[in-house]
Structure formats: structure tokens, C-alpha cells
């Protein structure tokens, strides 16, 4: 179990992976179905199946939670992750 990790269609096709991550970063609130339709139009038969894409996006969002939060809600990212230096008395 898990011996084939990193060998999916998305992991092996760099152009497809960059396209999907670019869509997620530029338009973070797109649904999986919209991303799947865009991948099908762009890559045709090389596009992954819907469920494969959904699993990959879930995994990517989980592994890159800080980056995804900085794109979707910069204020929340700043409050949660950015360090604050200084004194409260000032």
C-alpha cells in the first residue's frame, strides 16, 4: 500500500501539474468540476479522470495549507502565520 505514490498521471505530467496548480493559485475558489473541464479542454485524452483530480487537489491543499490560505485569505494568513516583532506596550 502506498508503493506507487508519486506515479499518477498528474505527478508524471509536469505541464498538467503546473496548469492545475496555476488554476488553483490564480482562482482558488474554482470547483473541482471547473478545473476538470479546463484540464479536459487543454489536455484532451491526457487529462485525468474527475476523481483522480479531486483526490490530487485535496492532497495538494492539505500539503500546502499555508500557501493556499495566503492566496484565499491574506488577512487570516497574516494573523496565523506571519511573525510579529515588537512590544505590546508601544
Amino acid at each position: 500500500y502506498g508503493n506507487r505514490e508519486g506515479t499518477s498521471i498528474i505527478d508524471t505530467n509536469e505541464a498538467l501539474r503546473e496548469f492545475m496548480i496555476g488554476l488553483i493559485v490564480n482562482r482558488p475558489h474554482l470547483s473541482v468540476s471547473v478545473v476538470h473541464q479546463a484540464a479536459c479542454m487543454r489536455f484532451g485524452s491526457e487529462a485525468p479522470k474527475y476523481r483522480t483530480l479531486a483526490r490530487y487537489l485535496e492532497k495538494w491543499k492539505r500539503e500546502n495549507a499555508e500557501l493556499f490560505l495566503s492566496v484565499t485569505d491574506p488577512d487570516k494568513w497574516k494573523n496565523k502565520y506571519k511573525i510579529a516583532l515588537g512590544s505590546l506596550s508601544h
Side-chain angles (χ1 to χ4, degrees):
Y1 183 80
N3 61 343
R4 296 178 300 188
E5 187 171 345
T7 61
S8 72
I9 295 170
I10 300 168
D11 290 326
T12 57
N13 188 340
E14 186 175 340
L16 176 62
R17 185 176 59 248
E18 288 179 2
F19 175 75
M20 288 189 346
I21 292 172
L23 274 178
I24 295 168
V25 170
N26 288 323
R27 306 225 190 272
H29 299 293
L30 286 178
S31 66
V32 176
S33 63
V34 173
V35 175
H36 183 252
Q37 288 174 356
C40 286
M41 287 194 307
R42 175 87 179 238
F43 294 97
S45 64
E46 293 180 17
K49 296 191 183 309
Y50 178 85
R51 189 62 194 135
T52 303
L53 184 85
R55 278 193 309 267
Y56 184 82
L57 291 179
E58 289 172 12
K59 178 183 170 192
W60 187 89
K61 288 177 183 179
R62 189 175 54 250
E63 290 175 351
N64 299 289
E66 183 179 351
L67 173 64
F68 189 67
L69 184 63
S70 72
V71 171
T72 57
D73 192 355
D75 291 332
K76 190 172 183 180
W77 173 82
K78 183 179 76 168
N79 291 335
K80 188 172 182 179
Y81 290 104
K82 193 170 181 182
I83 60 169
L85 301 174
S87 174
L88 288 175
S89 63
H90 293 146

